């Protein structure tokens, strides 16, 4: 066989079983009307009769198994049509006629299991057969070396499996045509020693891996002579007669009116799909050419890609017709390969944005379960080769899902296409890429795919403008970092260092860190830095205040401290989102690898609640729960007083990035529940709003919520990491 081929497309696997022991004695082909086609001698074998017995077995039922992409289905099949084997003539002991049987299933199969298509057998076709057991690895590859109206000979490769016992009745499948071209009937074996009955030793003069089958031409003729032609005619409709495929056949006929042109394009498509050079039958007729395109994964987009080089004026009509089929993927193999490379090499901070980007870019009201599962795994870092493979599989699942989404554009010039959902996601992802090279690569890919799909520049640029606006609005808020600890002088006085981060890195902005400050002075200094930062922030963005506290000072209520302004109260936590970070846990430790893994699942995980009356509250119990929940990114602590502080420290020590607790009594549990509802990224803002509302309605908004927010992509100042114990 020439060239590497992708044999993932295959018909439903049919096994005919022996009622005595349940073993597969042969194979079959699924027909319309919940029927199976196999060889009569397979039925004889299942019943324990001589293989070529000609007597009708009577009203018999046999067990059968039909396998498809969604699993195996056991059924009972009743013999409906019997075409007995015709005993071989003395001069042709290797061949016999007849030998067909149709079995009717007594229970319907799922609709997803479709009958096979059929095409005539021709010399030169490359075919594949499977053992009746249905295992994917049982395939045997061969080439049709001789074919007539009654018999077709196939020679197998000298590597891999050979067609043997148990293959009879199964399809000789042409992946190129996406169709069965005949049934396996028999294997030609070397002669046997007349004395012992053992096969004679191999010599080059004796037959090796030659089998013969019943060509489709004879199957159709035999069934038609018994009035059963409808069984197979339904299974092989002409492409031009199929409502969804008729426009594609017409577009292909206009673009490639001659067989030589079709053969040339078939070779170009095969090359793009990594199939090697196909047999000449792929371009013989428009019908076979279209079936060739539909039988191969990504062949349709590869065809439009090649057609742009051959006859670009016909591409729009073919694209429009291809969309109507509802079949095939959006991307050509080359486009898919480039996108996969770009996604698997994203910087960790960019990869972590994928769930947010997908949900923002797509006009969906909910996230379907398949997309949710894919999003939940695409951002996880690969620690082992197995993790790398799983990461690639989940990215592939995500791309596959996005490829199937419809286009959506406000501006679509006549004769052009809408921007597909996948391209929208890529544009939104590019808009948030921090690196210009990464961003340019994604946008360049998007432009090339849009050009092939007939998307007008104005429509793509419209979506690009949307993405830029979203990126501007959703960029990380500027922040003020304040390291606060009790002063060694004692009393209610504190030491403080302040850094400012406008998007690049934290820069120190405070002096005299050792000077003792009272709470009002601390807040005043922080407000002095926040004022100009807030004024320069885009839109209505509020800077975030990150309090860098030691593990023993996590309950320091800096967010509730007020400035001494006599006119306007200035509570820090009511005006700005205030979160807590604990630098002592920021680097190293045996849980460092878990930190980013948990953070990347923040958008998709459910908060874990601990410390309540019916929830884990003991330190060992909570530790065990967290070790058994490696995906947990957010914990809500319900416990009171010292128990709460101990559990918060435990959660942060094992690198749970988001922890919400109440510094007061657990009477405010409903308020904590309300805060964690909604988009996780908005939790700091919801805490701020709660603090503000508690000032005017303390009865309705009770409690003093505190939020630890350890974002691994927002760096801590080097000075803090160098001496984490400095704040007393």
């Amino acid at each position: 066989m020439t060239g590497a081929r992708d044999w993932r497309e295959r018909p439903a696997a049919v096994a005919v079983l022996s009622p005595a022991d349940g073993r597969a004695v042969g194979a079959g082909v699924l027909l319309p009307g919940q029927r199976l086609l196999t060889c009569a001698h397979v039925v004889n074998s299942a019943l324990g009769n001589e293989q070529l017995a000609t007597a009708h077995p009577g009203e018999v039922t046999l067990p059968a198994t039909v396998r498809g992409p969604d699993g195996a289905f056991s059924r009972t099949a009743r013999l409906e049509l019997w075409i007995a084997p015709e005993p071989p003539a003395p001069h042709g002991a290797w061949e016999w006629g007849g030998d067909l049987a149709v079995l009717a299933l007594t229970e319907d199969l799922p609709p997803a299991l479709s009958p096979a298509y059929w095409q005539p057998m021709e010399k030169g076709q490359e075919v594949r057969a499977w053992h009746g057991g249905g295992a994917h690895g049982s395939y045997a590859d061969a080439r049709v070396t001789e074919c007539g109206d009654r018999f077709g000979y196939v020679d197998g490769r000298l590597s891999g499996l050979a067609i043997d016992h148990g293959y009879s009745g199964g399809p000789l499948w042409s992946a190129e045509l996406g169709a069965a071209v005949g049934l396996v009937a028999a294997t030609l074996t070397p002669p046997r020693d007349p004395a012992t009955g053992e096969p004679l030793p191999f010599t080059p003069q004796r037959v090796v891996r030659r089998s013969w089958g019943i060509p489709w031409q004879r199957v159709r003729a035999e069934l038609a002579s018994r009035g059963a032609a409808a069984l197979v005619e339904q299974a092989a409709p002409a492409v031009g007669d199929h409502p969804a495929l008729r426009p594609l056949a017409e577009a292909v006929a206009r673009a490639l009116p001659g067989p030589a042109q079709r053969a040339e394009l078939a070779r170009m498509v095969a090359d793009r799909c990594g199939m090697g050079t196909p047999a000449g039958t792929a371009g013989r007729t428009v019908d076979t050419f279209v079936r060739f395109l539909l039988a191969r994964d990504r062949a349709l987009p590869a065809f439009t890609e090649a057609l742009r080089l051959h006859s670009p004026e016909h591409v729009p009509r073919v694209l429009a017709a291809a969309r109507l089929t509802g079949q095939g993927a959006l991307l050509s193999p080359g486009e898919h390969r480039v996108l996969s490379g770009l996604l698997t090499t994203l910087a960790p901070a960019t990869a972590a944005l994928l769930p947010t980007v997908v949900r923002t870019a797509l006009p969906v009201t909910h996230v379907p379960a398949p997309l949710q599962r894919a999003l939940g795994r695409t951002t996880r870092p690969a620690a082992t080769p197995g993790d790398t493979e799983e990461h690639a599989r989940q990215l592939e699942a995500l791309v596959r899902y996005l490829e199937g989404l419809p286009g959506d554009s406000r501006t679509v010039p006549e004769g052009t296409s809408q921007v597909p959902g996948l391209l929208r996601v890529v544009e939104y992802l590019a808009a948030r890429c921090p690196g210009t090279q990464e961003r340019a690569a994604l946008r360049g890919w998007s432009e090339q795919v849009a050009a092939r799909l007939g998307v007008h520049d104005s429509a793509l640029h419209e979506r690009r403008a949307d993405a830029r606006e979203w990126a501007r609005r959703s960029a990380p808020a500027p922040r003020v970092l304040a390291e606060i600890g009790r002063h060694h002088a004692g009393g209610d006085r504190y030491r403080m260092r302040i850094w400012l981060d406008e998007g690049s890195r934290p820069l120190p902005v405070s002096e005299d860190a050792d000077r003792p400050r009272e709470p009002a002075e601390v807040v005043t200094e922080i407000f002095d830095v926040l004022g100009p930062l807030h004024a320069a922030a885009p839109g209505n963005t509020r800077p975030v205040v990150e309090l860098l506290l030691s593990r023993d000072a996590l309950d320091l209520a800096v967010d509730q401290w007020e400035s001494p302004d006599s006119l306007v109260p200035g509570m820090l936590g009511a005006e700005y989102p205030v979160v807590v970070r604990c630098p002592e846990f920021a680097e190293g430790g045996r849980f460092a690898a878990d930190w980013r893994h948990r953070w990347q699942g923040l958008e998709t995980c459910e908060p874990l609640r601990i410390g309540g009356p019916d929830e884990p509250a003991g330190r060992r119990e909570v530790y065990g729960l967290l070790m058994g929940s490696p995906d947990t990114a957010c914990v809500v602590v319900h416990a009171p007083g010292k128990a709460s502080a101990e559990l918060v420290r435990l959660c942060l020590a094992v690198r749970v990035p988001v922890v919400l607790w109440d510094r007061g009594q657990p009477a405010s549990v409903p308020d904590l529940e309300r805060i964690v509802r909604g988009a996780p990224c908005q939790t700091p803002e919801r805490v701020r709003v709660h603090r503000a509302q508690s000032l005017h309605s303390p009865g309705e908004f009770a409690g003093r919520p505190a939020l630890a927010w350890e974002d691994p992509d927002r760096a801590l100042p080097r000075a803090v990491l160098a001496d984490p114990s400095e704040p007393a």
Side-chain angles (χ1 to χ4, degrees), residues 68-445:
D70 298 324
F73 302 89
S74 298
R75 295 291 187 268
T76 300
R78 174 177 48 82
L79 182 62
E80 186 175 77
L81 178 62
W82 172 262
I83 302 177
E86 299 173 3
H91 61 276
W94 280 342
E95 299 174 351
W96 57 85
D99 200 10
L100 293 172
V102 175
L103 306 170
L105 298 174
T106 58
E107 182 183 353
D108 288 353
L109 293 167
L113 286 168
S114 304
Y117 286 116
W118 295 86
Q119 287 289 300
M121 181 183 288
E122 296 182 6
K123 183 177 178 179
Q125 289 172 335
E126 295 177 357
V127 294
R128 174 166 284 194
W130 290 269
H131 187 273
H136 284 282
S138 68
Y139 62 84
D141 292 335
R143 177 191 292 274
V144 178
T145 53
E146 192 61 49
C147 180
D149 289 338
R150 289 178 55 76
F151 306 102
Y153 281 88
V154 296
D155 286 0
R157 303 176 65 175
L158 294 183
S159 63
L161 296 179
I163 295 174
D164 207 336
H165 298 294
Y167 287 74
S168 291
L172 288 165
W173 181 258
S174 167
E176 180 183 305
L177 301 177
V181 297
L183 297 183
V184 177
T187 297
L188 281 60
T189 57
R192 295 178 178 271
D193 188 303
T196 65
E198 295 296 320
L200 292 174
F202 168 79
T203 72
Q205 286 75 34
R206 293 190 179 127
V207 64
V208 178
R209 295 198 171 190
R210 174 164 291 175
S211 304
W212 68 267
I214 305 173
W216 160 239
Q217 299 90 305
R218 177 173 140 197
V219 171
R220 181 172 51 193
E222 295 270 20
L223 295 181
S225 68
R226 270 72 169 183
L231 290 178
V232 287
E233 294 302 337
Q234 293 176 44
V239 167
D241 294 336
H242 195 297
L245 303 184
R246 188 181 302 116
L248 180 58
E250 293 174 354
V252 168
R254 287 174 179 268
L256 306 171
Q261 295 170 301
R262 292 191 290 273
E264 179 186 356
L265 265 293
R267 284 190 293 272
M268 294 175 71
V269 171
D271 183 62
R272 282 167 164 76
C273 294
M275 296 161 51
T277 304
T281 54
R284 182 164 296 175
T285 66
V286 171
D287 190 279
T288 55
F289 184 80
V290 171
R291 287 200 185 284
F292 164 74
L293 295 179
L294 297 177
R296 309 301 304 168
D297 189 35
R298 305 195 180 281
L300 259 177
F303 171 56
T304 60
E305 194 175 57
L307 192 62
R308 289 187 71 207
L309 303 175
H310 185 277
S311 305
E313 69 277 10
H314 292 290
V315 171
R317 182 186 291 271
V318 172
L319 283 169
R323 284 192 291 271
L324 294 176
T325 67
Q327 300 188 44
L330 177 75
L331 304 179
S332 71
E335 293 164 347
H336 178 266
R337 190 164 49 250
V338 172
L339 179 61
S340 296
L342 291 171
L343 294 180
T344 53
T345 56
L346 286 174
T350 307
L353 292 171
L354 260 175
T356 301
V357 165
V358 170
R359 280 187 282 268
T360 305
L362 300 178
V364 295
T365 56
H366 70 287
V367 180
L371 177 57
Q372 182 80 357
R373 286 193 295 270
L375 287 175
R377 297 180 175 93
T378 51
T379 60
R380 295 177 186 174
T384 68
D387 292 339
T388 301
E389 293 176 6
E390 175 63 17
H391 179 69
R393 280 194 293 270
Q394 294 304 329
L395 278 176
E396 171 63 14
L398 176 61
V399 171
R400 281 281 184 177
Y401 179 86
L402 296 176
E403 282 186 282
L405 298 180
D408 178 64
S409 303
R410 295 188 298 272
T411 303
V412 185
E414 186 176 355
T416 64
S417 305
Q418 293 183 324
V419 181
L422 175 59
L423 265 62
R424 294 182 60 178
V425 169
V426 170
E427 286 292 337
Y428 274 67
L429 184 62
R432 281 296 302 269
C433 281
T436 55
Q437 187 174 355
E438 202 173 42
R439 182 166 59 249
L442 287 168
R443 285 177 174 165
W445 177 90

Side-chain angles (χ1 to χ4, degrees), residues 9-88:
E9 298 293 338
R10 60 168 291 181
V14 175
V16 178
L17 311 178
S18 165
D21 56 17
R23 290 185 304 107
V25 296
V29 182
L30 184 59
L31 295 178
Q34 305 296 321
R35 290 176 171 83
L36 309 177
L37 174 66
T38 188
C39 289
H41 78 261
V42 171
V43 175
N44 280 333
S45 296
L47 296 173
N49 300 333
E50 286 290 332
Q51 276 202 338
L52 297 184
T54 59
H56 194 294
E59 296 183 1
V60 297
T61 57
L62 297 173
T65 302
V66 183
R67 289 180 173 83
D70 298 324
F73 302 89
S74 298
R75 295 291 187 268
T76 300
R78 174 177 48 82
L79 182 62
E80 186 175 77
L81 178 62
W82 172 262
I83 302 177
E86 299 173 3

